[in-house]
Amino acid sequence: MNVIPCWILISVLELVSAEWNTKDYMKREHSLIRPYQGSGMTIPYWDFTGSTMVTNNYIRLTPDLQSKQGAIWNSVPCHVRNWELQVHFKVHGKGKDLFGDGFVIWYARERMKTGPVFGNQDYFQGLAIILDTYSNHNGPHNHQHPYISAMVNNGSLHYDHDRDGTHTQIAGCEANFRNLEHDTHIGVRYERDTLTVSTDFSNKAAWKECFAVKDIKLPTGYYIGISATTGDLSDNHDILSIRLFELDLPDDPRDQEDRSNILPSASYFDAPREHVDDLKQSAFSRIMFFFLMLIAALALIACVVIGIMWYQKHQENSRKRFY
Ligand SMILES: *[C@@H]1O[C@H](CO)[C@@H](O)[C@H](O)[C@H]1NC(C)=O
Ligand SMILES: [Ca+2]
């Protein structure tokens, strides 16, 4: 009962802020909103593959069953230079402790290619915002799952599932978005080469920043898509809406630059996340450091004590000499 008025409020606020502050506006040809269906079984501007199923209220990329993969892809290349993508989604399932694998929001050169990266091809070109619900790494990370991360690829990088993409991520944050009663939204903003990912998972109708990274170069003319997979573990991965807003930045000189033929690049990479071995290593060096400091402190105290004793003895000797 609460959910619908709240969402209407968000939409109204979005509209109002969009009209007040800038000339940002929603691009219908890159958005997916209800009612989804056009004539027959097709959705205008969108194609789907795999296990994807369209209902009146959501688009289910995978059901809560093992070994499924599904995707939805925009059929119109996106030539917008500065944009914000808002995705309303729901990840839910029977699993209480075991569930997976997650889904990815893509801005990619190629569309409708199936493969091992959450249902899409590996060695992709473009941007991936990965909402990973299952930790594949043997042994704990120094963070929790679900985990949201970004990867930028020029086609040369492999997404390493066994390490949850740790070595190729540019940034990430922990965030629980699964099996929640209220609505869950993620916002991906690409403005003046800064990528900002924000979430609204706490039913407060406000964005919370997950991460922001500067100097991300993305070409124009790529496709927006979302793909999801299940493996031994499963979940329903549902998309309720996708909205792409063009950001109006009239004084940005980069707007004139031709970005249609560049390769995606990121100047910054996250340090690989520490695993258990690394933690042991650093714990060991911390203990060594502590002992060295302790020995140094004891040596200092010993010097002072010896010094005082020597001084007192010296004083006594000199007194004896005078009297
Ligand atoms: C592609 O990306 C990799 C890894 O970031 C980099 O080493 C390589 O130089 C890039 N290739 C081109 C052609 O930019
Ligand atoms: Ca994973």
Side-chain angles (χ1 to χ4, degrees), residues 132 134 136 164:
D132 189 355
Y134 176 65
N136 298 71
D164 296 307

Side-chain angles (χ1 to χ4, degrees), residues 226-281:
I226 303 184
S227 70
T229 40
T230 64
D232 291 339
L233 304 170
S234 65
D235 252 338
N236 296 297
H237 294 95
D238 298 346
I239 304 300
L240 287 86
S241 72
I242 302 172
R243 290 156 205 266
L244 185 116
F245 296 90
E246 174 164 17
L247 307 178
D248 185 49
L249 308 171
D251 53 351
D252 188 2
R254 275 172 292 202
D255 253 354
Q256 314 307 321
E257 188 189 323
D258 180 14
R259 279 290 183 93
S260 55
N261 285 314
I262 65 161
L263 279 175
S265 70
S267 57
Y268 172 79
F269 273 83
D270 231 7
R273 303 190 309 244
E274 282 184 88
H275 296 307
V276 173
D277 293 349
D278 309 332
L279 286 172
K280 266 190 207 140
Q281 184 74 41

Side-chain angles (χ1 to χ4, degrees), residues 9 20-21 73 83 97 101 113 156 171 178 187 219 223 230 259 261 288 295 317-318:
L9 185 68
W20 274 4
N21 298 332
W73 284 95
W83 44 264
D97 301 312
D101 289 329
K113 303 271 183 183
S156 72
R178 195 183 163 272
Y223 293 96
T230 64
R259 279 290 183 93
N261 285 314
M288 282 303 291
I295 288 165
N317 285 346
S318 45

Side-chain angles (χ1 to χ4, degrees), residues 8-22 24:
I8 290 170
L9 185 68
I10 295 170
S11 308
V12 169
L13 285 175
E14 263 170 15
L15 272 176
V16 168
S17 68
E19 278 189 3
W20 274 4
N21 298 332
T22 61
D24 305 347

Side-chain angles (χ1 to χ4, degrees), residues 91-108:
V91 176
H92 57 115
K94 295 182 300 292
K96 237 184 138 222
D97 301 312
L98 294 172
F99 42 81
D101 289 329
F103 71 100
V104 174
I105 300 168
W106 299 97
Y107 177 69

